[in-house]
Amino acid sequence: MSTMGDGYSLIIAEDHTLLREGLKSLLQSVPHLVVAGEASDGQMVVELCDKHRPDLVLMDISMPRMDGVQATRLIKKKHPEMRVLVLTVHGAGEYVYAALAAGADGYVLKDASNDEFILAVESVLGGKIYLSPGVSDEVVKGYLNDARGQSVSSSWETLTPREQEIFQLVAEGYKNREIAEMLVVSVKTVEKHRSNLMQKLGVHSAAELRALALERGIILRMRSDA
């Protein structure tokens, strides 16, 4: 982590220039917050995190090249100590679930007041989970639906953490060789996990697997080249 003295370093990931500049100005008005970098797409923010090792990443969801959910998952895999606060217009439950499942530490909507936004930043930097009041009801409803068996079937619970990881990558449209490179394992290992998880979930093709992932909110959309 790159904590600067008594301050904290942040990276802003937002593809709209005016909003990014506004966030930067607001953050820099707080004495102990330092903006170490800015990214206009998901791939760029992952690279900046590798370079600067910030304390906190402000993450938009809808960005080019790589969306914020996927970027969050990759950042958390490489730098689990790094905090990620999602800042987005999307308040629907499936977006919240996807972000939290990817490892996000907080979720705040872009219509939040400046005071709420700074509170969210401070809370996440302090090790707490922050959810905008506007999304809390959606999350509660989702948990109630899960308890009734409407969202997540028991078969998902039988998957190992590695199988869950490969499930998401396959659903996002990655090929076995790409997954092997990302996870630093052999293609045969990926194939074995893929076969096991599909058998456990009762699906017989990548298309069925993607449909299942979309239904459960595990992914928001598939890659455009998938």
Side-chain angles (χ1 to χ4, degrees), residues 2-4 7-11 32 34-36 52-56:
S2 56
T3 306
M4 302 176 179
Y8 296 95
S9 64
L10 298 86
I11 285 177
H32 59 278
V34 178
V35 177
H52 295 293
R53 301 296 181 90
D55 298 297
L56 175 67

Side-chain angles (χ1 to χ4, degrees), residues 5-224:
D6 294 328
Y8 296 95
S9 64
L10 298 86
I11 285 177
I12 303 171
E14 167 60 56
D15 62 331
H16 291 91
T17 303
L18 286 176
L19 180 54
R20 193 168 64 246
E21 289 298 320
L23 289 170
K24 180 179 179 181
S25 177
L26 176 58
L27 290 165
Q28 291 185 329
S29 70
V30 182
H32 59 278
L33 301 181
V34 178
V35 177
E38 302 170 50
S40 58
D41 63 65
Q43 184 63 47
M44 187 185 299
V45 70
V46 172
E47 294 169 358
L48 285 177
C49 285
D50 290 339
K51 179 179 180 181
H52 295 293
R53 301 296 181 90
D55 298 297
L56 175 67
V57 182
L58 292 176
M59 185 75 74
D60 189 17
I61 285 184
S62 300
M63 293 188 291
R65 296 179 68 195
M66 180 189 299
D67 66 43
V69 171
Q70 185 179 347
T72 296
R73 179 174 47 75
L74 290 176
I75 289 168
K76 281 293 191 174
K77 177 175 175 58
K78 298 168 75 173
H79 312 290
E81 77 287 354
M82 213 169 279
R83 309 291 285 176
V84 176
L85 173 61
V86 170
L87 178 62
T88 179
V89 298
H90 301 295
E94 62 265 26
Y95 290 94
V96 184
Y97 298 143
L100 296 179
D105 302 287
Y107 197 101
V108 64
L109 299 179
K110 286 182 178 178
D111 63 358
S113 66
N114 288 354
D115 288 342
E116 184 193 343
F117 172 64
I118 294 300
L119 173 62
V121 170
E122 300 281 13
S123 296
V124 171
L125 281 172
K128 300 177 182 177
I129 299 294
Y130 184 90
L131 292 178
S132 273
V135 304
S136 297
D137 287 345
E138 291 286 347
V139 173
V140 170
K141 289 176 184 177
Y143 282 133
L144 290 175
N145 284 340
D146 287 349
R148 296 184 188 116
Q150 295 176 3
S151 297
V152 181
S153 68
S154 59
S155 59
W156 172 256
E157 304 299 329
T158 68
L159 299 186
T160 66
R162 177 64 89 186
E163 287 170 349
Q164 292 180 9
E165 190 171 24
I166 291 175
F167 174 98
Q168 180 163 351
L169 290 170
V170 172
E172 289 173 352
Y174 289 97
K175 308 302 181 185
N176 288 349
R177 185 169 298 280
E178 292 177 303
I179 297 173
E181 292 174 355
M182 293 174 69
L183 301 182
V184 195
V185 297
S186 70
V187 174
K188 286 186 177 180
T189 297
V190 173
E191 290 173 346
K192 180 179 179 181
H193 284 306
R194 181 170 175 164
S195 176
N196 288 342
L197 72 89
M198 292 179 75
Q199 182 177 7
K200 289 179 180 180
L201 294 174
V203 296
H204 304 93
S205 68
E208 289 182 33
L209 190 148
R210 290 177 190 136
L212 186 61
L214 286 167
E215 179 185 335
R216 293 177 175 175
I218 294 169
I219 61 172
L220 304 181
R221 59 175 174 78
M222 292 178 282
R223 293 169 69 196
S224 59

